[in-house]
Amino acid sequence: METQVDIVIVGGGHNGLTAAAYLANAGLSVTVLERLSIFGGAAVSEKTFAGVDAKLSRYSYLVSLLPKRIIEDLGLDIKLAPRRYSSYTPLPGTDKGLLVDNHDQENTQSSFDSIGASSDAKAWQEFYQKTTLLAKSMFPTVLSPLITRYEAKAKLAELAGTDQIWNEFIENPVGEVIEKSFESDLVRGVVLTDGMIGTFGSNLDPNLDVNRCFLYHVIGNETGEWNIPIGGMGEVSDGLRKAALEAGATLLADCEVAHIAEDGTVSYVSHSPGFADEVLETEEIRGKFVLANVSPFELEKLTGIKDVVPTANKAEGSQVKVNLLLKRLPKLKDESLDPVAAFGGTFHINETYEQLQTAFEQSSKGEIPNPLPCEIYCHSLTDPTILSKELQKLGAQTLTVFALHTPHSLLAGKNNTEMREQLTRAVLDSLNSVLAEPIENLLMVDENGKPCIEAKTTQDLQDVLRLPGGNIFHGALAWPFVEDGDDLGTPAKRWGVATKQENLLICGSGARRGGAVSGIAGHNAAMAVLELLS
């Protein structure tokens, strides 16, 4: 017997939960179907290592783009903690490095001086004053119907008093303004990395994919600040799950959708938790609207419609993520610097401007970059609650390493287990090149005596989360505005969530203004539905 509801949401990731909470709060009947046994998609926390009481953010790691308005609208019990330090970057081949201290400008200036980049300290302030203006003009638009390129440019020009910032960050490769603004190769690299998190492109990327990635990394909540979710990333999804349930939504886990019909009928199979091959029942549910919290390319398979999301741009993922649990923080080559400061923000490794370009060229030829550009986030310094009291007393720390310029094409036709081992080795070698001691000596072991280290390749993300090519954004990012003359004739188009079917909306990271842990796509899909029903 077919069940009928107002809204069926396919996929219980954080965006699907956001949409469910908004729509259920509006009085609509909402059912969410999630393939896995837990909700949250990539925004989950788990005790990764056997017998070790440490809760790690499994895939995603920091939060910047989740608007305060969504937290307030849904009454979410979520705490986001700022990091004292912005970043630390060792100068390759030396015992020096650049420490950017959010709370001490004199300390930051001294650090610039120590690496021979004194003039870049002022340039740093001026550069990020520009990105702040970019953020203040762009971010307030993300929870509203889309504006046009002309309108977006005019908003920024009104705020900045010039078109210069628009031209530097939107019209031309962002590497150009970075080269113009900074003299130090190291400083240039630190700035550019925001354009390369999960995005594969050269320093002067002619396609501007790096620009779009950079933009989303610096506009969050009008500051661009990246915060630690207290309790781990899973707490964000759990807060959204509770909000959806309290609003009256029905959440069904272990339900794999097989087909989405044109009339809104969704066919799915339910199975026992953890046993996807053990089918219990095949069922159907019909919604007036179906919201797809899956990638546009997964949605093609479910509907049988080619290019079902007309605006989707396919792009392979380009990252390796490694989680480690250490007995303590590593010693630094710079003995005068407290490791707590170095690891208190983003720890950049082999990410100078020249190293980033060389890594891009090596990986473009099918080689694993050597050295591999990486960055580290130590969540446990800001949020020790992810560790048990016993681990805290021992001085244990978690490290999340995110490696750049490892496109999915590197794994094509190769054994994923072997490639995972090679990429993990490349990550560890890169870390060891800037530390005063081998990172392997600091790894804790689980109850089976295995080192506490876990790596996720793009193939792992495709296999487990069905992210196309392991792309963490579900595809190439799009500008948060539309081109002049684009069709905005329907609510779904105005909100950036349209597909080829009027009753089928995209509400995941593949939506325009999707990507990252933000809830923006879920909010916007919900607003489009409410407008359609009004």
Side-chain angles (χ1 to χ4, degrees):
M1 181 177 174
E2 182 185 84
T3 303
Q4 294 195 12
V5 295
D6 293 319
I7 314 293
V8 179
I9 299 178
V10 178
H14 85 279
N15 271 307
L17 297 171
T18 301
Y22 272 104
L23 292 169
N25 272 321
L28 299 175
S29 55
V30 181
T31 296
V32 181
L33 303 174
E34 168 54 41
R35 175 175 57 90
L36 302 176
S37 296
I38 59 173
F39 289 86
V44 295
S45 300
E46 297 178 29
K47 292 182 179 178
T48 305
F49 306 118
V52 180
D53 194 2
K55 190 167 60 172
L56 279 70
S57 295
R58 202 77 186 271
Y59 304 102
S60 50
Y61 46 99
L62 298 174
V63 177
S64 175
L65 288 163
L66 175 60
K68 293 176 183 176
R69 192 170 112 201
I70 290 180
I71 295 175
E72 293 168 358
D73 283 352
L74 301 180
L76 303 180
D77 184 18
I78 295 174
K79 296 178 181 177
L80 303 174
R83 299 177 297 168
R84 158 71 190 272
Y85 299 93
S86 175
S87 64
Y88 175 70
T89 311
L91 183 62
T94 75
D95 61 356
K96 296 181 174 63
L98 175 64
L99 179 70
V100 179
D101 187 338
N102 291 327
H103 294 178
D104 192 332
Q105 183 55 39
E106 288 187 11
N107 192 27
T108 299
Q109 178 68 61
S110 176
S111 190
F112 273 92
D113 295 343
S114 73
I115 64 165
S118 299
S119 63
D120 280 345
K122 182 180 179 182
W124 180 280
Q125 298 299 321
E126 293 172 347
F127 184 90
Y128 284 106
Q129 285 171 5
K130 292 181 181 180
T131 66
T132 297
L133 291 174
L134 197 60
K136 289 184 179 298
S137 69
M138 292 281 187
F139 195 75
T141 72
V142 299
L143 295 183
S144 301
L146 283 158
I147 60 175
T148 65
R149 175 181 284 266
Y150 175 83
E151 291 169 328
K153 182 177 180 180
K155 280 177 64 70
L156 179 57
E158 181 181 4
L159 195 63
T162 175
D163 287 336
Q164 178 184 344
I165 298 175
W166 177 272
N167 293 331
E168 289 176 336
F169 292 92
I170 307 298
E171 298 290 353
N172 301 298
V174 69
E176 291 183 3
V177 66
I178 292 173
E179 289 183 6
K180 183 179 71 175
S181 301
F182 304 104
E183 296 179 4
S184 164
D185 187 61
L186 181 143
V187 176
R188 288 177 175 179
V190 172
V191 176
L192 185 62
T193 55
D194 273 336
M196 295 183 169
I197 306 294
T199 296
F200 188 56
S202 66
N203 289 11
L204 298 174
D205 173 29
N207 300 318
L208 304 185
D209 289 333
V210 171
N211 286 54
R212 287 184 281 272
C213 185
F214 184 89
L215 177 70
Y216 284 106
H217 275 87
V218 299
I219 66 171
N221 283 294
E222 301 185 35
T223 65
E225 187 177 58
W226 287 82
N227 295 323
I228 300 286
I230 298 298
M233 190 61 75
E235 290 300 305
V236 176
S237 291
D238 198 48
L240 288 163
R241 181 187 64 83
K242 290 175 181 175
L245 286 172
E246 289 171 4
T250 299
L251 308 184
L252 303 178
D254 299 297
C255 294
E256 178 153 12
V257 171
H259 182 66
I260 301 173
E262 210 171 321
D263 67 353
T265 299
V266 179
S267 304
Y268 67 96
V269 294
S270 59
H271 51 80
S272 299
F275 296 92
D277 296 331
E278 185 182 316
V279 176
L280 298 180
E281 285 186 80
T282 301
E283 301 182 52
E284 289 186 344
I285 184 170
R286 184 175 179 180
K288 294 176 184 175
F289 292 93
V290 178
L291 272 56
N293 186 26
V294 298
S295 77
F297 309 101
E298 191 67 21
L299 189 57
E300 285 185 12
K301 299 175 187 176
L302 297 179
T303 61
I305 301 172
K306 184 173 175 55
D307 298 324
V308 64
V309 181
T311 57
N313 297 303
K314 194 163 188 175
E316 61 181 351
S318 183
Q319 72 287 318
V320 173
K321 185 172 186 285
V322 180
N323 280 325
L324 307 97
L325 182 62
L326 305 183
K327 301 169 187 174
R328 57 170 172 79
L329 291 177
K331 295 178 182 177
L332 305 172
K333 289 185 177 180
D334 182 355
E335 296 179 357
S336 67
L337 181 63
D338 185 349
V340 170
F343 288 94
T346 301
F347 192 120
H348 295 278
I349 300 166
N350 292 314
E351 289 186 327
T352 70
Y353 196 76
E354 183 179 350
Q355 285 176 319
L356 288 172
Q357 182 61 26
T358 299
F360 170 77
E361 293 168 0
Q362 290 176 333
S363 55
S364 295
K365 293 186 291 186
E367 305 169 5
I368 296 176
N370 181 25
L372 185 60
C374 300
E375 42 198 66
I376 295 176
Y377 313 92
C378 182
H379 288 195
S380 50
L381 278 177
T382 302
D383 176 25
T385 68
I386 62 174
L387 301 175
S388 67
K389 294 292 185 183
E390 181 181 359
L391 287 174
Q392 291 179 43
K393 289 178 182 177
L394 290 172
Q397 300 287 354
T398 66
L399 293 187
T400 293
V401 185
F402 208 79
L404 310 184
H405 285 333
T406 53
H408 189 59
S409 57
L410 284 179
L411 286 74
K414 299 175 183 175
N415 181 284
N416 187 44
T417 300
E418 293 177 1
M419 285 302 297
R420 189 189 300 115
E421 291 174 354
Q422 291 181 40
L423 289 165
T424 301
R425 184 68 261 162
V427 166
L428 297 179
D429 288 345
S430 188
L431 267 62
N432 287 337
S433 73
V434 300
L435 299 175
E437 59 183 330
I439 195 80
E440 295 91 331
N441 294 349
L442 300 178
L443 288 170
M444 297 191 71
V445 295
D446 66 14
E447 65 180 6
N448 300 315
K450 295 181 179 179
C452 291
I453 180 169
E454 175 198 53
K456 296 291 184 185
T457 67
T458 51
Q459 189 63 50
D460 292 323
L461 297 186
Q462 181 167 287
D463 292 343
V464 178
L465 299 176
R466 298 188 180 171
L467 303 184
N471 192 301
I472 57 177
F473 308 126
H474 290 195
L477 291 166
W479 297 117
F481 50 81
V482 294
E483 297 305 317
D484 299 329
D486 278 4
D487 180 11
L488 296 176
T490 68
K493 290 177 179 178
R494 284 194 292 276
W495 287 96
V497 296
T499 73
K500 287 183 176 179
Q501 286 185 203
E502 188 177 347
N503 63 340
L504 175 64
L505 282 62
I506 188 87
C507 77
S509 290
R512 189 177 284 269
R513 301 179 289 189
V517 179
S518 71
I520 292 170
H523 168 277
N524 291 348
M527 295 305 107
V529 168
L530 294 178
E531 191 174 327
L532 283 161
L533 290 173
S534 63

